[in-house]
Amino acid sequence: MKLVYMSLFVLWSAFNSDTSSFLIYNEDHNKCVYAVNATVIQAAPCNVSSKAQHFRWISSSQIISLSFNLCLGSEKIKNWVKIILLPCSDCSPAQTWECKNGTLFGLKGHPLHLNYGNFGEPNVMLFFGTGVWSRWLIFGTKGNLCSCGYKVFDQEEGVSTFYICFSSFVAVGLFIMTAAVIVTNIRSRTKGNTNIQANA
């Protein structure tokens, strides 16, 4: 039965694996954006096992922190303010991002960019500069943050795919459990018959 549970765990992990998240990487600093908490966003050595460094596009212009389920944003739309995490709102211009000129990344429609390292500031800031400290990649690639952008798909197709995958998971799990029960019963009967013969 232990093998059954292990098999189901592997199947469940595979079914729930997240391949759409990414780390926000600055090549010049060789560091990734790190969400310490909702009001402290810093940079740290990149660690793919750290959930605090994982982000995902949830729309064509919004990025969510997987650690806090809040969206990347700024305190205000002005130069040199902190980057923070905010309750996600597609109407908020303070959390609407875009890629500009290759790896430059900033607020949509504003000359303000995600920046780290200026003036000894430990936090990630919103800054008008366009240098290497305002340029970001998907960690482990040479692609900008928009290269792992939000994938729009047909709702009915998405729902159908979900149910197909989930049904397959349930079917495989039931098959494994049924097989395990049958094998256990056969072994029990065989052992019981052996004991009867031995005592005859």
Side-chain angles (χ1 to χ4, degrees):
M1 290 301 291
K2 185 177 180 181
L3 180 61
V4 174
Y5 292 131
M6 288 178 64
S7 300
L8 287 174
F9 176 76
V10 170
L11 285 169
W12 180 255
S13 298
F15 180 74
N16 285 281
S17 61
D18 181 11
T19 58
S20 63
S21 68
F22 55 88
L23 278 63
I24 302 173
Y25 174 64
N26 182 271
E27 191 171 29
D28 197 67
H29 285 297
N30 193 28
K31 289 184 177 181
C32 288
V33 173
Y34 171 67
V36 179
N37 56 52
T39 59
V40 179
I41 310 300
Q42 299 183 344
C46 300
N47 180 1
V48 294
S49 65
S50 171
K51 194 173 183 181
Q53 294 187 16
H54 278 263
F55 296 85
R56 183 199 297 131
W57 287 99
I58 60 166
S59 73
S60 61
S61 58
Q62 286 180 291
I63 292 179
I64 196 169
S65 161
L66 297 195
S67 183
F68 294 97
N69 287 321
L70 295 170
C71 280
L72 197 68
S74 62
E75 291 179 324
K76 298 177 181 178
I77 302 178
K78 59 183 290 188
N79 184 53
W80 205 243
V81 296
K82 285 173 61 178
I83 297 299
I84 57 175
L85 299 177
L86 300 164
C88 297
S89 170
D90 56 8
C91 298
S92 171
Q95 52 183 272
T96 303
W97 302 93
E98 66 179 352
C99 294
K100 314 170 184 180
N101 188 22
T103 56
L104 192 63
F105 184 73
L107 286 183
K108 189 172 184 178
H110 299 277
L112 298 167
H113 312 110
L114 198 71
N115 179 274
Y116 174 75
N118 276 296
F119 312 117
E121 172 62 49
N123 297 301
V124 178
M125 306 291 287
L126 196 63
F127 185 52
F128 64 74
T130 59
V132 291
W133 292 353
S134 295
R135 296 184 176 272
W136 303 87
L137 302 170
I138 300 290
F139 180 64
T141 77
K142 288 295 183 181
N144 65 23
L145 300 190
C146 297
S147 65
C148 191
Y150 180 67
K151 303 295 189 297
V152 180
F153 59 89
D154 180 76
Q155 184 176 4
E156 291 184 3
E157 179 184 348
V159 171
S160 299
T161 302
F162 171 80
Y163 281 113
I164 290 171
C165 292
F166 185 73
S167 299
S168 299
F169 168 76
V170 172
V172 171
L174 289 173
F175 174 78
I176 293 173
M177 292 184 69
T178 302
V181 170
I182 291 172
V183 170
T184 301
N185 286 338
I186 292 173
R187 287 180 177 175
S188 297
R189 290 176 182 177
T190 302
K191 186 176 180 180
N193 292 335
T194 302
N195 291 336
I196 292 172
Q197 292 174 1
N199 295 326

